[in-house]
Amino acid sequence: MDLTYTEEEQDFRARLRGWLAKVLPELPAKPSPDDWPGRRAYDLGWQRRLHEAGYAGLHWPVDAGGRGATPTQHLIFLEETERAGAPYVGANFVGLLHAGPTIAAEGTAEQRARWLPPVLRGDEVWCQGFSEPGAGSDLASLRTRAVRDGDDYVITGSKIWTSHAEVADWCELLVRTRPVGAEVPKHRGISWLAMPMDAPGVTVRPLRTLAGSAEFAEMFLDEVRVPVANRVGAENDGWRVTMVTLSFERGTAFVGEVVACRRTLGELARAAKANGRWDDPVLRRRLGRLYGEFGALWRLTQWNVSEAGRSAGGVPGIGGSVFKLAYSHARQELYDTAAEVLGAASLSLDEEWVLDRLSSLSYTIAAGTSQIQQNIVAERILGLPKGR
Amino acid sequence: MDFQPTEDQQHLRAGVRDLLAGRYGREALRASVDAAAGGGAGAAAGVDRALWRELGGAGFFALRLPESEGGVGLGLPEAVLVFEEAGRALVPGPLVATHLAAGVVPGAADGTAVVTAFDLDGPLVAHLGDADAVLGAAAVPAGEPVRSVDPLTPLHRVAAAGDVSAYRATGALLTAALQLGSALRTVELAVRYAGEREQFGQPIGAFQAVKHLCARMLVRAEVARTAVYAAAVTGGPGEVAAAKLLADEAAVQGARDCLQVHGGMGFTWEADVHLHLKRAWVRAEQWRTAAQAQELLAEELLAEALLAEELPATA
Ligand SMILES: Cc1cc2nc3c(=O)[nH]c(=O)nc-3n(C[C@H](O)[C@H](O)[C@H](O)COP(=O)(O)OP(=O)(O)OC[C@H]3O[C@@H](n4cnc5c(N)ncnc54)[C@H](O)[C@@H]3O)c2cc1C
């Protein structure tokens, strides 16, 4: 057990801090949440700056265009960018945090060369087309069909809850390439494809979230042609590739947000001190408890990252489910506590935290609901029997 | 940074686990509970002196004492791993106080002395009847026995308490490690029972309601584990307080959930679950209560927040 940083790592931190102090004041103003083209431009702009400075894809393998940084350096990067209030990955979430790493781990040399550099350079945005109206938690029952026609798959079906679909260039798409039957269980006929979002037959219809914005969309696919060459992994072996994607999504994608939560807690403490609520011992202790819990969650990410660093390929382990369960709950509790600090002011959407409070309701649903995560922990970590 | 126990640390932990399994396994545990029950409900068994000396011989108490003073010369991370195992085995006695007394009270280091401490808020002291010394007191004070909720933790009421503030943080951390061991053990007990007990023609562990109880137990225990290990490495007061707070919760709630998984069996004296719960309740009151830990954390949060405001965002 060693939580100290080497001299090299401390240097890395110091250089990053210096760079952040220089570039952050030069950033343009944040676009409004409803301005999708503006958000895309803003997020890609930030990614370009990261790329120019050599910080893009820090933890990606070198042969995938990354910098091959150690897990610890990656953690330092997340810690420092969040602490400094640098922009969130935003529209780059899928490309950088799970589609990209999946292609790096499972794609061919050509596929890596085609798709990874534009993600790192901030030229292309990805979205995730996994969920369907009839396939949410039971993802493997998806029905969007891909039929082979020469060198193409012809795809028909629909997807739902596709975040950033409106501004994405590519979609990591799950399709059924073999009909389910007596011989073919539902997990065995799925393939993982990279679909261009501008292909004829793709229709995106924004869905309004409870926060009032159009954060995600429905996607209709009507005889969309996607080259067979865009398939990552073998035909019908997409479920295995999907597990890689999900372990990145649950394992490391949320790491930086823990730091953001700790920053928010600090702001809350100041606000409570300013408006007198700090004198309420119940509220004060609740804030103290959250501070302790987020501290522990940050340590848990360090734990998971050092474990992933020891595993082959750096694919995060099942510990990600433990983290996601604890984190999603703590984050919702954080914003409920924020509402207590604000009192009636928490009813106004003009307060920054109120929108965050609304968004935080998705944390126990997106990327696998808490119930599903609990099944995973119970069956795959604790070894309890599968069943109802 | 490599936040995983080293090979040496893992060996140490495994060694202690084997030692305790041989010397204080389930039969020994139940024998001490039975011994207490002989004294009637509310009676509690005292310290097994022979076991105490064996623990001393294994370096349990002298673990952090420098080798030059006859100790083992290891640090808090190792102590935490060892105490985690003692918590798992539910070893009774003032383990933490005696460990803290090594090098201070003669005989503590090798387990020939039993040392307790004023680690409970209020006028109660655990294991006073067995104590050769009390940390923070010049002499062993007189005490009035009270009926203890935990059959393996006798309690006495005393007139006045001494000052243990110098030991509070380390005491809280090692107690958190005991709680952690207990929490991890209750996960094991629940999972084993859920795999064995059948209802409606299948193991109850196949039912989601049971699965989810078990999964939440594990999540709490894993978060507590990271907090305890991190606090052992950094020794930061806030991290220690968080470790105690989270480990107390993991142990108390873990034991309750374990009891629920055991159904009617869980409500019996025969099942070990109540022993974990009762000990977890005692430990939650020792060295640092939840309210105290939360207040300490709140203070640290505010101090950090005010400091951050004074500095430029990226400094
Ligand atoms: C903000 C947000 C963004 C998202 N972005 C994307 C995206 O970009 N791409 C994408 O593909 N998907 C995305 N999703 C979809 C997300 O992955 C699904 O919503 C999620 O997996 C749950 O599926 P569902 O909504 O169909 O709920 P359902 O599966 O219908 O579940 C409804 C309820 O039933 C419970 N339940 C279902 N099955 C079980 C079971 N076996 N045991 C116990 N309880 C069960 C669930 O826990 C839940 O409480 C997003 C979702 C949200 C909220």
Side-chain angles (χ1 to χ4, degrees):
Chain A
M1 282 186 252
D2 178 10
L3 292 170
T4 55
Y5 296 102
T6 63
E7 220 167 275
E8 209 185 329
E9 286 162 350
Q10 284 169 355
D11 275 357
F12 173 79
R13 188 191 290 276
R15 262 181 288 128
L16 177 58
R17 262 188 207 194
W19 180 74
L20 287 166
K22 187 172 81 66
V23 297
L24 290 183
E26 298 167 3
L27 285 186
K30 251 195 193 148
S32 96
D34 293 322
D35 173 12
W36 268 104
R39 280 171 70 173
R40 177 187 157 110
Y42 182 83
D43 295 343
L44 288 181
W46 173 241
Q47 183 60 28
R48 277 183 203 123
R49 298 201 90 128
L50 287 173
H51 185 254
E52 282 156 20
Y55 289 117
L58 201 61
H59 64 302
W60 286 22
V62 174
D63 62 2
R67 314 264 302 167
T70 63
T72 304
Q73 282 175 326
H74 184 217
L75 269 184
I76 293 173
F77 174 79
L78 294 169
E79 199 177 12
E80 289 301 323
T81 44
E82 273 302 333
R83 182 176 285 163
Y88 180 64
V89 278
N92 290 309
F93 188 93
V94 172
L96 272 179
L97 299 178
H98 54 86
T102 302
I103 292 168
E106 298 286 336
T108 62
E110 294 80 49
Q111 290 174 334
R112 292 167 167 220
R114 166 62 191 89
W115 286 309
L116 299 183
V119 168
L120 294 181
R121 280 198 308 262
D123 288 344
E124 289 179 352
V125 167
W126 282 67
C127 64
Q128 179 188 42
F130 283 14
S131 306
E132 296 183 9
S137 300
D138 186 11
L139 183 57
S141 68
L142 62 91
R143 285 163 55 184
T144 292
R145 283 188 53 205
V147 178
R148 224 162 146 155
D149 180 25
D151 290 338
D152 289 341
Y153 287 113
V154 180
I155 301 166
T156 303
S158 71
K159 295 284 170 180
I160 198 164
W161 322 128
T162 318
S163 306
H164 308 122
E166 279 181 272
V167 293
D169 305 289
W170 292 92
C171 177
E172 49 172 5
L173 188 76
L174 293 186
V175 293
R176 185 160 297 289
T177 33
R178 187 162 54 161
V180 182
E183 249 92 277
V184 184
K186 60 185 182 179
H187 296 81
R188 287 287 145 72
I190 293 171
S191 298
W192 197 109
L193 304 180
M195 177 182 79
M197 290 296 284
D198 60 0
V202 178
T203 310
V204 171
R205 188 196 296 158
L207 290 165
R208 202 153 174 232
T209 72
L210 53 68
S213 60
E215 199 68 41
F216 48 33
E218 271 177 299
M219 216 161 54
F220 300 96
L221 308 171
D222 183 16
E223 306 208 340
V224 179
R225 297 188 84 90
V226 172
V228 172
N230 286 21
R231 193 189 63 229
V232 173
E235 188 169 85
N236 300 322
D237 192 30
W239 188 251
R240 193 187 54 75
V241 182
T242 303
M243 292 303 114
V244 173
T245 309
L246 291 181
S247 62
F248 280 114
E249 183 173 8
R250 290 163 189 165
T252 43
F254 295 107
V255 169
E257 297 180 27
V258 177
V259 186
C261 288
R262 291 169 79 186
R263 210 180 54 222
T264 303
L265 258 184
E267 289 166 23
L268 277 181
R270 287 199 294 268
K273 188 74 188 162
N275 74 8
R277 300 298 307 274
W278 186 259
D279 297 331
D280 170 358
V282 176
L283 181 62
R284 188 174 63 230
R285 287 176 190 173
R286 206 167 158 191
L287 286 165
R289 191 198 184 291
L290 280 167
Y291 177 70
E293 195 168 349
F294 278 109
L297 287 173
W298 175 245
R299 296 302 189 193
L300 185 58
T301 62
Q302 290 182 323
W303 181 276
N304 284 340
V305 164
S306 63
E307 199 153 86
R310 289 179 177 209
S311 80
V315 179
I318 193 93
S321 288
V322 171
F323 173 80
K324 185 181 184 283
L325 277 166
Y327 166 71
S328 53
H329 177 83
R331 177 129 189 197
Q332 289 175 355
E333 166 108 21
L334 169 68
Y335 290 114
D336 284 345
T337 311
E340 266 190 66
V341 172
L342 293 175
S346 69
L347 302 177
S348 160
L349 285 173
D350 296 333
E351 289 287 346
E352 194 188 336
W353 290 321
V354 179
L355 272 180
D356 291 338
R357 184 188 197 197
L358 290 172
S359 325
S360 80
L361 296 170
S362 76
Y363 278 77
T364 44
I365 299 171
T369 68
S370 289
Q371 285 69 39
I372 296 300
Q373 298 302 314
Q374 284 172 170
N375 287 349
I376 291 175
V377 168
E379 288 167 12
R380 292 181 45 203
I381 300 182
L382 296 177
L384 285 168
K386 279 193 177 281
R388 301 175 197 177
Chain B
M1 189 194 72
D2 184 10
F3 191 12
Q4 306 277 326
T6 63
E7 235 167 73
D8 283 349
Q9 288 169 337
Q10 289 176 34
H11 284 151
L12 174 69
R13 178 166 55 184
V16 174
R17 185 177 299 190
D18 287 348
L19 171 91
L20 290 176
R23 187 55 186 81
Y24 199 74
R26 177 153 200 276
E27 273 172 32
L29 170 68
R30 295 309 306 205
S32 37
V33 173
D34 290 345
V47 174
D48 174 347
R49 289 275 178 170
L51 174 63
W52 212 248
R53 278 192 300 274
E54 279 175 60
L55 292 176
F60 221 89
F61 304 119
L63 195 75
R64 291 185 307 124
L65 211 57
E67 285 176 58
S68 56
E69 292 170 41
V72 188
L74 292 174
L76 269 179
E78 286 79 16
V80 150
L81 294 175
V82 165
F83 274 71
E84 177 186 323
E85 291 308 318
R88 177 187 289 270
L90 269 177
V91 177
L95 290 163
V96 170
T98 304
H99 177 99
L100 293 171
V104 179
V105 176
D110 60 5
T112 49
V114 173
V115 185
T116 187
F118 292 119
D119 56 13
L120 287 163
D121 244 5
L124 293 183
V125 182
H127 299 286
L128 189 70
D130 284 305
D132 301 308
V134 182
L135 210 55
V140 179
E144 194 57 31
V146 299
R147 293 181 344 117
S148 174
V149 68
D150 176 10
L152 298 180
T153 309
L155 294 173
H156 285 76
R157 185 176 287 115
V158 293
D163 178 18
V164 287
S165 48
Y167 300 101
R168 193 167 293 285
T170 313
L173 177 62
L174 294 174
T175 307
L178 292 169
Q179 296 284 55
L180 168 65
S182 177
L184 290 166
R185 180 71 187 136
T186 54
V187 180
E188 285 171 12
L189 291 174
V191 167
R192 195 174 68 199
Y193 192 76
E196 286 167 5
R197 169 75 174 164
E198 291 193 6
Q199 287 293 285
F200 300 97
Q202 57 180 329
I204 56 169
F207 297 111
Q208 258 190 1
V210 174
K211 250 181 217 172
H212 289 187
L213 273 177
C214 294
R216 284 199 298 270
M217 288 170 76
L218 182 76
V219 169
R220 277 192 303 266
E222 285 293 318
V223 175
R225 184 154 77 117
T226 333
V228 170
Y229 291 0
V233 174
T234 67
E239 285 210 283
V240 170
K244 179 68 168 44
L245 182 66
L246 295 170
D248 283 347
E249 275 178 19
V252 171
Q253 195 54 46
R256 297 184 80 122
D257 289 347
C258 182
L259 197 152
Q260 183 68 20
V261 169
H262 279 74
M265 182 59 80
F267 195 68
T268 66
W269 190 265
E270 290 317 306
D272 296 342
V273 184
H274 71 104
L275 300 174
H276 281 280
L277 178 58
K278 291 165 177 174
R279 189 75 58 81
W281 277 340
V282 171
R283 291 182 189 134
E285 295 295 327
Q286 283 174 317
W287 297 108
R288 186 154 270 142
T289 63
Q292 290 164 347
Q294 287 165 358
E295 289 287 1
L296 188 149
L297 285 161
E299 241 170 74
E300 194 167 284
L301 164 64
L302 186 65
E304 196 185 279
L306 295 177
L307 187 72
E309 194 178 37
E310 285 161 21
L311 299 171
T314 52

